[in-house]
Every structure is written in structure tokens, then in C-alpha cells.
Amino acid sequence: MNLKKTLLDILTYRRPHGSKGEQAFIKKYMDRFEAIEFESEIVGFRFDNLKESKNKILWSCHIDTVHNPKNDDVIQQIFVDSKNNTVFIDEKNSDCLGADDGAGIALMLSMIENDVHGCYLFHRGEELGRIGSSLIAQNMENYLSTFTHAIAFDRRGTDSVITHQSSNRCCSDLFADQIALLLKGSFKKDSTGSFTDTFSYLSLIPECTNISIGYDLEHTPKESLNLDHVLLLDKTICSIDWAGLDLVNDRDPSQIDNYYDGEWWNKNHFYLNDPSFYDLESMNINDRYHYLKSLNKTDLVNLIEDLLYFYDGAKHLE
């Protein structure tokens, strides 16, 4: 598999949940995997490559994007800046690149081809409030509880190993430090995560994290992807003997460790993806004022967009 070629092809697909583009993508890339289905709806795709090991790793990504679902176009044009080795779109003709989470998909396809130990879950509906992973968590609790680690590829930037999602601790600092060391480069633990599909598994799997895969300004027409980061990350991950490692397992999933406080909130602004955790209406007027004032234009756009998508997802689940 040529990772760069596959990744660029994936990024040409507009993949909003339930769209023609998502279905075309599934037909090309997901049909060879086991479909996970509840009540006649496919919520994800699974490939099991677990080897003999005390580490039972669940690798995670999602296949949907935040492209406008009212646009029926299946394919979009993408561009590569050969000087900086970045991928982008024409802002006037498309609404996002879809490297969130196209880069995660490509990485996991490459890992499968390179026989990397673990179970692979390609989730549907993450951008609409984690539709797929929420239903999997509700219906496959015993299965998920057999895993020791869940590692998602769905984080902006090039240096994050997420320890907290929506202020809830998702993995231990010891595990995050270990992963950062294994991945080399500039990786370090990061407590400012919002959420991704592994958030659905916090009460079931001890160590859950999310890894930076090189995209930036996601959910916007200015989204871009650092190809060098994806290619180097792929090379590093595929060179590690994940089955033979003594991976840290230090977090108790039965204990929810929420470290929100006003000081942390004002210091670390992030996208409000899940109103059930941070309801602006419940904040006192001073905290609300300072929080909204701290956001730049891009953060505000993403905040509003994420809220709209979350509520669309909630309607979908009704």
C-alpha cells in the first residue's frame, strides 16, 4: 500500500454521515471488514488482528466528515503544496478537507497491511455526537471491557497525546508519557482534549487516548494536513512491536476523574463538542463572558458548528 496515494484518494471523498460520498467511500475501503450493526444500522467496521499479548489494543478512527450534507457531490478536488508537503482545498469550492479523520483512516489501513497488533474500529457518526461508538459502548460492554488500551487517531496538530477528554481523565500520565516516548518527535502529554470515539469507552477501557495526526483548522475551509507528519507517524507506529511491549495500565476505568475548574477553563479553551458536559447556560455570567471572550474567530466558528452538529446527532438518535 502506498500510504500517500491512499490518503490523498480518501481525502477526495466528501463523507458527511449518511451521504452518497460516505457510502461510496465505504464501498471502496470498508466492505472488506466486518460490519457492526444494531437495529439495521451499520455503526462501524471492525478488523481483528489481536496477537498473543497481555496488551489488548483497540485502534480507533471515524469515517465521517463535517462536509455540508445538503451538497450531494461525492468527490472534491484537493491540492498538495509540494514545497511544504501539505494538503489543502480551494476555500471557495469546498467546506473542509476531511483530514479529520481521513488521515486516521489511512494510518489504520496502513497498520493493518503492515500486520500491526490490535483490533481496528472504523466508527460512523463521530461528528454527529459519536453515534457509532456510543451504540457500540451500549451494546458491546463485555467485549470492550476485555481491552486494556484504546488509541484514537483523531487529534489536530503534531504533538498531542491526550490525557483528558472534555475534562475527564482518559489515560494516565504514565501511559501518555510512554506513548510520547515511543512515537518520538515532539509528542507530549496534553490535557486539553475535547472528545473523540474513545471518549465513549472511558468507563470500560483503562487507558484511552487520542494522538495528533497532522491536520489543522479542522471543520473549516482552511483545514490543512501535514503529510510529513502522517508519513513519519506511520513509519514509527508500524516499526513498534505493540504485542511485545510492557504497556502501562494504570488508570481505573470505574473512577471518573473530572478536573474541571474555572481556572483551567479560562486557561485552556477548546471546542465545546458535548453540551452535556459544558452547558454555557449553567455558567455564571462572569465565567461565560471570559470564556467566550477568550475564543478567537476560528474557535467561535468551530464552537457553533460543533453545537449544531451535536444537536443534529441527538435528533438522529431520537
Side-chain angles (χ1 to χ4, degrees), residues 209-245:
T209 190
N210 191 9
I211 306 298
S212 286
I213 54 175
Y215 61 73
D216 193 24
L217 297 177
E218 69 280 9
H219 298 188
T220 76
K222 294 183 180 295
E223 182 183 4
S224 64
L225 177 66
N226 182 331
L227 277 177
D228 288 333
H229 178 76
V230 181
L231 297 173
L232 181 59
L233 182 59
D234 172 67
K235 182 178 180 180
T236 302
I237 289 172
C238 291
S239 69
I240 295 171
D241 176 16
W242 293 94
L245 288 174

Side-chain angles (χ1 to χ4, degrees), residues 142-161:
N142 291 338
Y143 170 74
L144 291 168
S145 296
T146 66
F147 288 93
T148 55
H149 305 80
I151 301 175
F153 298 109
D154 184 25
R155 174 66 178 180
R156 75 181 71 93
T158 59
D159 61 2
S160 293
V161 179

Side-chain angles (χ1 to χ4, degrees), residues 253-317:
S254 68
Q255 302 298 313
I256 301 300
D257 175 14
N258 184 305
Y259 78 153
Y260 163 74
D261 59 44
E263 180 181 355
W264 182 88
W265 179 281
N266 290 320
K267 183 179 179 182
N268 301 283
H269 46 270
F270 54 89
Y271 305 150
L272 181 61
N273 284 333
D274 190 342
S276 67
F277 288 97
Y278 299 110
D279 184 354
L280 289 173
E281 293 182 357
S282 69
M283 299 170 70
N284 67 54
I285 191 169
N286 187 57
D287 284 346
R288 187 190 307 158
Y289 170 80
H290 285 293
Y291 171 65
L292 292 174
K293 190 176 180 180
S294 73
L295 301 181
N296 59 37
K297 182 178 179 180
T298 299
D299 288 329
L300 281 170
V301 169
N302 280 281
L303 171 62
I304 294 168
E305 185 180 60
D306 284 351
L307 279 168
L308 291 173
Y309 273 96
F310 176 82
Y311 284 118
D312 281 344
K315 291 177 183 177
H316 176 88
L317 292 173

